[in-house]
Amino acid sequence: MTPDTQDSFKALADPTRRQILMQLSQQEMTIAEITDQFDMTRAAIKKHLTILEKGNLISVKTKGRERINSLETDGLKTVTDWLTYFDHFWDNKLNRLQTTIANNNTDHPDSD
Amino acid sequence: MTPDTQDSFKALADPTRRQILMQLSQQEMTIAEITDQFDMTRAAIKKHLTILEKGNLISVKTKGRERINSLETDGLKTVTDWLTYFDHFWDNKLNRLQTTIANNNTDHPDSD
DNA sequence: AATAAGCGATACCAAAAGGTATCGTATTTA
DNA sequence: TAAATACGATACCTTTTGGTATCGCTTATT
């Protein structure tokens, strides 16, 4: 059950799916309820939900003939964890910028 | 110059492009240098770079006949900003979990 | 001046993504 | 029990995506 970064990023790459997540952050919803919010068929929404589930962004519980979808934070954590890799660059950005400006007129000597 | 969330998310949805970003977080690189790190043609890498640039994840400066690509934090910020929308859910997750457990035997009578 | 290096742009291709239509199944409800 | 509801699954279609091959332009290099 290794968190698959690719599945999570891919799931977030579609605007409809991101909107679904925002809806689900407000309340749990069945497939039909989600479909009502969009201009596409239930089958299309179901496909999106499958992708979101694979990306660990939602979880589903069955209740009679209904499937209730709710937000799952695991996939979001996978993505934010990946993004933290760049924190050190974020911190160093000002330094790099200053270095760039300092070296702006004099090209580095050995490549001339 | 509104930051286009879709472009940034889409740019991050490909594993090759994420790897390129990690490379660029270490050092600026030309297209040829990046290509050396991957098992695909320069044309393919160039396409990825164009998508990364559109997502505000890299910037390019021309130096003679070379194009030097460097990491740009704007696109990363666009994505992290979007993700912060779910912070409140993150905080409330324990609450919701407890509520779910409490309601586990008695089906909720209404949709509250 | 001739040649090599670094790159942009385009045409082209196979596979994946996003969508619809349709049929089947399980669960409520009248 | 019969009908409606909520959904799963599949086949099918069009567009997008990720890749190659190729040509040509500009900038070094000799």
Side-chain angles (χ1 to χ4, degrees):
Chain A
M1 213 72 81
T2 314
D4 191 327
T5 306
Q6 176 57 22
D7 286 341
S8 298
F9 269 105
K10 179 140 276 180
L12 287 173
D14 181 89
T16 299
R17 288 195 289 267
R18 289 198 304 279
Q19 284 186 45
I20 291 175
L21 291 181
M22 295 187 73
Q23 301 267 359
L24 292 181
S25 75
Q26 306 295 332
Q27 56 194 333
E28 302 177 326
M29 296 172 87
T30 65
I31 298 183
E33 286 170 344
I34 298 171
T35 303
D36 285 345
Q37 308 288 325
F38 294 89
D39 188 24
M40 67 184 70
T41 63
R42 180 179 55 80
I45 294 293
K46 173 57 170 67
K47 281 193 181 181
H48 284 309
L49 292 174
T50 300
I51 293 171
L52 286 169
E53 197 177 359
K54 200 174 173 198
N56 299 308
L57 289 158
I58 66 170
S59 61
V60 185
K61 64 182 170 201
T62 302
K63 180 174 176 180
R65 65 182 170 188
E66 294 183 335
R67 279 168 60 91
I68 301 179
N69 303 274
S70 35
L71 191 64
E72 185 67 47
T73 50
D74 293 6
L76 293 172
K77 177 159 172 43
T78 300
V79 169
T80 55
D81 282 355
W82 189 89
L83 290 170
T84 60
Y85 179 86
F86 297 93
D87 282 354
H88 73 285
F89 179 84
W90 207 291
D91 295 335
N92 290 347
K93 200 194 176 186
L94 185 58
N95 285 339
R96 285 172 185 252
L97 181 61
Q98 290 171 337
T99 304
T100 302
I101 292 170
N103 291 351
N104 201 16
N105 44 355
T106 68
D107 288 343
H108 22 129
D110 51 6
S111 66
D112 266 3
Chain B
M1 214 74 80
T2 313
D4 193 327
T5 306
Q6 177 56 22
D7 286 341
S8 298
F9 269 105
K10 177 145 279 181
L12 288 173
D14 181 89
T16 299
R17 288 195 289 268
R18 289 199 304 279
Q19 284 185 47
I20 291 174
L21 291 181
M22 295 187 72
Q23 301 266 359
L24 292 181
S25 75
Q26 305 296 332
Q27 57 193 331
E28 301 178 327
M29 296 172 88
T30 65
I31 296 183
E33 286 170 344
I34 299 172
T35 303
D36 286 344
Q37 308 289 326
F38 294 89
D39 187 25
M40 67 183 71
T41 63
R42 180 180 56 80
I45 294 292
K46 173 59 170 67
K47 280 193 180 180
H48 284 308
L49 291 174
T50 300
I51 293 171
L52 285 170
E53 196 176 2
K54 200 174 175 199
N56 299 308
L57 289 158
I58 67 168
S59 62
V60 186
K61 65 182 170 199
T62 302
K63 181 174 176 181
R65 65 183 168 185
E66 294 182 336
R67 279 169 60 90
I68 301 179
N69 304 273
S70 35
L71 190 64
E72 185 67 47
T73 50
D74 293 5
L76 293 173
K77 177 158 172 45
T78 300
V79 169
T80 55
D81 282 355
W82 188 90
L83 290 171
T84 61
Y85 178 87
F86 296 94
D87 282 354
H88 73 285
F89 178 84
W90 209 291
D91 294 336
N92 290 346
K93 200 195 176 187
L94 186 56
N95 286 340
R96 285 173 185 252
L97 181 61
Q98 291 171 335
T99 305
T100 301
I101 292 171
N103 291 351
N104 203 14
N105 43 355
T106 69
D107 291 342
H108 33 117
D110 267 338
S111 63
D112 60 347

